[in-house]
């Protein structure tokens, strides 16, 4: 079955460490997105990529980095520069704005 | 003021009740999305609409472009409908989604 796989589901890291969240899709979608969700707030866009080897900053990109070396994969690195990294992270993909979006099951990151 | 506002923030219903969740937006849009987020966190896309009305099973979504307003209705609600329902819009000419804060629905048996 086609879909988006995010791993791991839960992730714990010590403060000051970089951590990479995985997002893989087998839907042949061109566009991929990373969102952050905090309690009581709507999802906010971190980074997005519309084609391989190209990506753009979203609304809250500071302290995060991404790569898009393959169409299927869009990993997100939470760096030590991110001041408040504990959150729920969602990955999504799309053929384009006329076709809707598919979301992953998310990764809950806790930094202690 | 947020670009996408949802009401109510929380909603508790008895099984079988008719439920309405509202979404208002303040920007020009190319499409509006209704999403469902279960307690585990994963999100499922329910509807994408740019005009009129769509129906899928017990779920109905409507949109009024002139009034910048959309509603999600659930008929004959069931405890398995308990989830957070999120309204999101794509601004005209952009692929990026702008999300509301969600409505937490609890349906009691």
């Amino acid at each position: 079955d086609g879909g988006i796989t995010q791993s791991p589901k839960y992730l714990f890291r010590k403060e000051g460490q970089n951590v990479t969240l995985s997002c893989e899709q087998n839907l042949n979608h061109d566009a991929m997105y990373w969102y952050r969700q905090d309690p009581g707030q709507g999802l906010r866009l971190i980074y997005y990529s519309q084609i391989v080897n190209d990506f753009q900053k979203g609304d809250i990109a500071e302290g995060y980095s991404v790569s898009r070396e393959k169409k299927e994969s869009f990993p997100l690195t939470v760096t030590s520069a991110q001041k408040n990294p504990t959150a729920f992270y969602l990955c999504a993909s799309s053929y384009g704005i006329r076709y809707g979006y598919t979301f992953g099951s998310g990764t809950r990151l806790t930094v202690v | 003021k947020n670009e996408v506002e949802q009401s109510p923030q929380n909603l508790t219903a008895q099984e079988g009740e008719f439920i309405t969740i509202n979404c208002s937006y303040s920007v020009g849009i190319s499409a509006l999305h209704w999403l469902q987020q279960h307690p585990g966190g994963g999100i499922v896309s329910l509807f994408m609409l740019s005009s009129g009305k769509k129906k899928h099973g017990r779920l109905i979504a409507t949109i009024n472009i002139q009034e910048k307003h959309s509603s999600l209705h659930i008929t004959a609600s069931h405890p398995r409908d308990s989830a957070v329902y999120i309204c999101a819009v794509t601004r005209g000419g952009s692929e990026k989604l702008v999300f509301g804060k969600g409505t937490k629905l609890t349906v009691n048996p």
Side-chain angles (χ1 to χ4, degrees):
Chain A
D1 285 339
I4 294 181
T5 301
Q6 286 189 245
S7 60
K9 191 167 180 63
Y10 299 95
L11 191 54
F12 295 87
R13 278 296 181 270
K14 290 185 178 179
E15 193 172 338
Q17 289 182 335
N18 291 356
V19 59
T20 298
L21 282 58
S22 170
C23 178
E24 304 276 335
Q25 54 101 357
N26 61 2
L27 300 164
N28 200 34
H29 286 173
D30 290 311
M32 296 187 74
Y33 309 81
W34 274 106
Y35 295 95
R36 170 180 171 139
Q37 187 176 39
D38 295 284
Q41 294 197 40
L43 281 82
R44 294 180 291 169
L45 180 65
I46 305 172
Y47 267 98
Y48 66 104
S49 168
Q50 293 176 303
I51 56 172
V52 174
N53 293 321
D54 187 49
F55 47 83
Q56 286 79 41
K57 292 182 180 180
D59 301 318
I60 55 166
E62 186 174 350
Y64 299 98
S65 66
V66 293
S67 63
R68 187 87 187 275
E69 297 177 2
K70 299 186 299 181
K71 190 174 187 177
E72 302 79 18
S73 179
F74 191 40
L76 173 74
T77 297
V78 185
T79 75
S80 56
Q82 168 50 235
K83 298 303 179 193
N84 186 18
T86 294
F88 186 65
Y89 293 87
L90 273 160
C91 179
S93 69
S94 171
Y95 277 125
I97 59 174
R98 298 181 63 176
Y99 301 97
Y101 298 81
T102 301
F103 290 84
S105 56
T107 293
R108 191 166 298 279
L109 172 65
T110 302
V111 176
V112 296
Chain B
K1 190 177 188 298
N2 293 330
E3 293 180 9
V4 180
E5 296 278 359
Q6 288 186 237
S7 64
Q9 193 172 346
N10 292 283
L11 181 56
T12 300
Q14 288 300 121
E15 184 173 355
E17 286 184 2
F18 181 85
I19 287 162
T20 295
I21 299 170
N22 296 299
C23 176
S24 297
Y25 53 92
S26 57
V27 295
I29 67 169
S30 55
L32 183 140
H33 305 255
W34 281 104
L35 312 170
Q36 181 190 56
Q37 185 172 33
H38 278 281
I43 288 179
V44 174
S45 180
L46 299 175
F47 295 104
M48 181 177 75
L49 64 166
S50 55
S51 65
K53 175 179 172 179
K54 288 191 175 181
K55 184 175 188 291
H56 185 243
R58 296 179 294 105
L59 301 177
I60 303 166
T62 64
I63 188 169
N64 184 319
I65 297 295
Q66 287 74 29
E67 295 187 3
K68 291 186 165 66
H69 181 268
S70 175
S71 293
L72 176 69
H73 305 285
I74 304 175
T75 62
S77 60
H78 189 277
R80 65 175 175 266
D81 296 325
S82 298
V84 175
Y85 292 84
I86 300 171
C87 174
V89 301
T90 43
R91 296 194 198 98
S94 170
E95 270 193 57
K96 295 187 287 185
L97 284 168
V98 179
F99 295 83
K101 294 183 179 181
T103 295
K104 184 176 181 181
L105 171 65
T106 303
V107 182
N108 294 317

